[in-house]
Amino acid sequence: MGFSWFSSSYQKPFRFHSFVFLLLVVDLAFSEDPYVFLDWDVSYITASPLGVKQQVIGVNGQFPGPILNITTNWNVVVNVHNNLNEPFLVTWDGLQQRKNSWEDGVLGTNCPIPSAWNWTYEFQVKDQIGSFFYFPSINFQRASGGYGGITINNRDVIPVPFGAPDGDITIFIGDWYTKDYKELRKILDEGNELGVPDGVLFNGLGPFRYNESVVPDGIVYATINVEPGKTYRLRVHNVGISTSLNFRIQNHNMLLVETEGSYTVQQNYTSMDIHVGQSYSFLVTMDQNASSDYYIVASARFVNETFRDQVTGVAILHYSNSQGSASGPLPDGPNKDDTYFSMNQARSIRWNVSAGAARPNPQGSFRYGQITVTDVYVLLNVPAEPVNGQLRTTLNGISYLDPATPLKLAQQFSVPGVYKLDFPYRNMNRPAKLDTSIINGTYKGFMEIIFQNNASTVQSYHLDGYAFFVVGMDFGIWTENSRGTYNKWDGVARCTTQVFPGAWTAILVSLDNVGIWNLRAENLDSWYLGQEVYVSVVNPEITNKTELPLPDNAIFCGSLSTLQKQQSNKFKYSKASVLSSSSVIVLGLLIMWLYFVSP
């Protein structure tokens, strides 16, 4: 039975955070993994991040949306109300959704949430820690917001490989256009390029007016407030469309400690290139004098010099005892066109093999360099080209075509003709085509994927469901001999990697997570135009031990749309989120106490 009295229409006057606390107390009392229940309203709101009033996508009226702050192994139940005027899906970038690709929130696994409907995501952040973010996965909507942070904390019994910081700060950086996402996707649909972004945002806000000739007056900017002498953990996410950004803080070193769920060898950087879709954690100590505020900068990499000032975001680091506002020139970053600097910096990021993460055993206990590779895919990216009269992007000459019926539902119900398991291992000598061809992964296999970028821009690639090992990157064409340069010991494990123009990046991934998983360009324009593929990982032995069953609340569409029942406005949590009867009794008593006794 569901809990109809948990619906969004419930009006009893107790605070939501108290309700979440009660659920956690009940779960902990019965030695279960805790649950957290969230209600998100996704709607259009008005903002003016670059001084031009425009429509953006907010979550609970916030842009960026609320931070999902949880702990390893917690169960998360998020009821998403779609109040946009078109379908919507949210994906959880970097969350591995162990055994549960049903909750991944991409078109290969989920039917979109229709306008004026709601849908409840239910998943467990199993054996994960780290810094991630969520965002809309369809219709180019991420270009107008709808994103927010995900912080997964260690359990108390697992030590963190650095001292507890005095504060935890999430920062979103990303390129931005003053046109809304519908206008931008129309530009792409008509075969045109988006052009240079109109600016770079910090936490949904425009740049500080560091230069009156560059930044117009009246723009609201982001301020990060800190206390002198204290150390803060900064979680920085590039949530933009297509621009690599260099992140730096004037006069402050940044100690890199984690990226996308992996603790790293701790190294100081004065700046860090953060590519689209990537996330990093830095420890920053406020060890400077406070004669003035300090600039925080996110500046575009590899763009035409004419537009560089335009594509620079600036926020302010404000000490509580600051004597004045920031002034003067911005701190220098790397040479804007130096891809060698960026690649060498990327190679310097190493896995902290002696640190634990979500489990007590050290990260280096998984000796990936000693595992035999079972499948090799060399994925070629070339500049966008016409396919069937439309400008499209491809991988190995195939531009992915979304079927009306999600792949995962077609697999579940044995719907014929939806997809083919024939994605080529290498680029084929044939004209590019539109197709729904996916990779047939081997369950418990060990896959090597080489991304070869023959285009002129940096591309980021992301794999849902997994953390992969970044073992090599170099300029030129990958060959079999390139394996001699691989890092087979402490290559960092992450979910998003960059591939420089005229270069390649190699990753290794252990296919132990059953499901259908999206492999995509994080550059939103490339993704929208077809640069993605799915990896099917099937356990020949059908068992709930390796894959959870179809959720009770699944939305049906395409050839399975006749299975869909009309949705009422009031929702109920599905059976997977129902507590045990003893927990319900205790919960009821606690709620009664809160309602009648507490002030």
Side-chain angles (χ1 to χ4, degrees):
M1 59 181 289
F3 289 177
S4 60
W5 39 277
F6 284 176
S7 76
S8 56
S9 62
Y10 187 71
Q11 298 295 320
K12 289 295 183 182
F14 65 87
R15 295 179 180 176
F16 178 74
H17 68 264
S18 299
F19 174 54
V20 172
F21 172 75
L22 288 173
L23 289 174
L24 298 182
V25 167
V26 170
D27 278 328
L28 290 170
F30 286 87
S31 300
E32 299 171 357
D33 290 321
Y35 276 78
V36 58
F37 295 84
L38 301 170
D39 213 44
W40 285 0
D41 175 80
V42 178
S43 62
Y44 299 116
I45 60 176
T46 300
S48 306
L50 294 177
V52 177
K53 186 178 291 187
Q54 61 185 122
Q55 181 178 268
V56 303
I57 298 175
V59 180
N60 289 349
Q62 301 177 44
F63 166 66
I67 295 174
L68 179 57
N69 195 327
I70 48 184
T71 297
T72 301
N73 292 345
W74 281 18
N75 297 283
V76 181
V77 183
V78 187
N79 182 48
V80 176
H81 302 259
N82 178 17
N83 289 313
L84 307 183
N85 59 13
E86 62 180 27
F88 175 84
L89 273 177
V90 60
T91 191
W92 317 89
D93 213 53
L95 299 195
Q96 294 177 16
Q97 305 290 2
R98 302 297 300 179
K99 305 187 296 183
N100 200 13
S101 62
W102 301 110
E103 307 293 331
D104 201 27
V106 289
L107 285 179
T109 57
N110 297 85
C111 294
I113 307 169
S115 178
W117 280 42
N118 63 270
W119 195 70
T120 304
Y121 289 86
E122 302 182 43
F123 54 84
Q124 185 179 29
V125 287
K126 184 68 174 173
D127 292 331
Q128 280 195 269
I129 57 95
S131 309
F132 312 95
F133 63 97
Y134 60 85
F135 64 85
S137 66
I138 62 173
N139 293 333
F140 216 73
Q141 291 164 351
R142 191 179 86 203
S144 286
Y147 52 75
I150 303 172
T151 297
I152 309 180
N153 305 290
N154 284 66
R155 294 174 290 158
D156 291 338
V157 296
I158 308 298
V160 176
F162 47 83
D166 298 297
D168 198 296
I169 299 169
T170 296
I171 297 176
F172 303 103
I173 57 176
D175 55 3
W176 188 260
Y177 292 82
T178 54
K179 296 182 175 67
D180 73 13
Y181 72 93
K182 294 179 182 178
E183 295 178 89
L184 293 175
R185 75 185 186 206
K186 182 180 179 183
I187 291 172
L188 293 174
D189 288 339
E190 292 174 347
N192 300 310
E193 296 183 353
L194 296 181
V196 178
D198 296 307
V200 171
L201 304 191
F202 266 89
N203 289 352
L205 300 174
F208 173 78
R209 200 179 190 198
Y210 69 96
N211 185 327
E212 292 183 2
S213 65
V214 173
V215 182
D217 191 20
I219 290 180
V220 179
Y221 57 88
T223 299
I224 306 299
N225 295 304
V226 296
E227 296 292 330
K230 293 191 174 181
T231 297
Y232 295 82
R233 182 173 182 173
L234 272 57
R235 303 174 190 263
V236 187
H237 309 276
N238 186 337
V239 295
I241 294 175
S242 62
T243 305
S244 298
L245 298 172
N246 180 265
F247 179 84
R248 56 196 183 272
I249 306 174
Q250 185 180 28
N251 291 1
H252 289 73
N253 283 324
M254 305 184 301
L255 184 67
L256 179 65
V257 295
E258 177 257 337
T259 177
E260 296 161 21
S262 288
Y263 290 124
T264 63
V265 173
Q266 295 176 21
Q267 301 178 76
N268 273 309
Y269 295 87
T270 56
S271 72
M272 176 64 72
D273 281 354
I274 305 180
H275 305 276
V276 177
Q278 292 187 329
S279 301
Y280 289 93
S281 277
F282 305 99
L283 294 182
V284 181
T285 300
M286 304 306 149
D287 55 4
Q288 301 298 302
N289 67 54
S291 58
S292 68
D293 294 339
Y294 296 91
Y295 293 123
I296 311 175
V297 181
S299 58
R301 300 283 275 128
F302 322 122
V303 298
N304 186 294
E305 188 173 1
T306 305
F307 302 102
R308 282 174 183 165
D309 286 338
Q310 177 180 321
V311 197
T312 297
V314 182
I316 293 298
L317 183 72
H318 174 73
Y319 282 48
S320 61
N321 61 340
S322 173
Q323 301 301 302
S325 59
S327 61
L330 299 180
D332 290 333
N335 183 298
K336 303 295 192 300
D337 296 317
D338 190 352
T339 54
Y340 288 91
F341 167 89
S342 192
M343 180 177 286
N344 287 333
Q345 185 182 72
R347 288 168 170 165
S348 74
I349 300 170
R350 300 298 180 95
W351 211 28
N352 186 343
V353 295
S354 63
R359 296 181 177 182
N361 51 299
Q363 292 181 151
S365 62
F366 186 81
R367 300 183 184 278
Y368 69 87
Q370 299 178 8
I371 302 174
T372 301
V373 169
T374 56
D375 294 285
V376 180
Y377 282 84
V378 181
L379 304 183
L380 176 67
N381 163 52
V382 297
E385 57 187 311
V387 181
N388 293 359
Q390 290 184 302
L391 192 67
R392 301 285 296 185
T393 54
T394 60
L395 287 174
N396 286 357
I398 296 177
S399 186
Y400 182 79
L401 184 65
D402 281 305
T405 307
L407 309 173
K408 189 64 188 163
L409 284 175
Q411 183 187 74
Q412 175 75 14
F413 290 89
S414 300
V415 180
V418 173
Y419 63 88
K420 295 175 288 186
L421 290 167
D422 63 352
F423 191 86
Y425 287 91
R426 294 174 179 262
N427 187 55
M428 307 293 284
N429 186 20
R430 63 189 183 193
K433 64 176 181 177
L434 292 167
D435 205 354
T436 309
S437 173
I438 70 175
I439 293 174
N440 188 10
T442 304
Y443 176 53
K444 293 190 175 180
F446 199 55
M447 183 177 288
E448 178 183 11
I449 301 175
I450 298 96
F451 300 102
Q452 180 72 56
N453 183 9
N454 285 6
S456 59
T457 57
V458 179
Q459 295 290 314
S460 296
Y461 291 97
H462 174 93
L463 177 61
D464 285 353
Y466 294 95
F468 50 71
F469 297 96
V470 183
V471 295
M473 61 178 66
D474 204 350
F475 293 101
I477 303 298
W478 181 89
T479 68
E480 304 283 338
N481 293 332
S482 302
R483 293 194 178 104
T485 67
Y486 283 7
N487 177 353
K488 294 189 176 182
W489 168 236
D490 62 354
V492 71
R494 63 188 310 172
C495 58
T496 306
T497 188
Q498 70 274 44
V499 190
F500 294 97
W504 57 267
T505 296
I507 66 172
L508 297 173
V509 57
S510 177
L511 299 181
D512 61 349
N513 192 12
V514 173
I516 289 184
W517 304 105
N518 189 229
L519 175 60
R520 60 176 176 268
E522 284 282 65
N523 304 61
L524 198 55
D525 48 355
S526 297
W527 184 11
Y528 181 77
L529 292 175
Q531 197 167 109
E532 65 177 319
V533 66
Y534 284 83
V535 181
S536 176
V537 182
V538 176
N539 182 358
E541 178 186 353
I542 299 175
T543 170
N544 286 352
K545 292 181 180 180
T546 58
E547 184 171 32
L548 297 178
L550 174 75
D552 293 341
N553 65 342
I555 298 176
F556 295 98
C557 54
S559 60
L560 298 172
S561 58
T562 56
L563 299 178
Q564 182 62 48
K565 297 179 181 179
Q566 184 63 36
Q567 186 183 62
S568 64
N569 290 328
K570 182 182 289 189
F571 78 98
K572 298 181 180 181
Y573 289 115
S574 73
K575 294 177 182 178
S577 65
V578 176
L579 304 175
S580 64
S581 59
S582 56
S583 297
V584 172
I585 293 171
V586 175
L587 177 61
L589 292 173
L590 287 170
I591 289 178
M592 290 174 63
W593 174 84
L594 178 68
Y595 186 79
F596 291 108
V597 179
S598 64

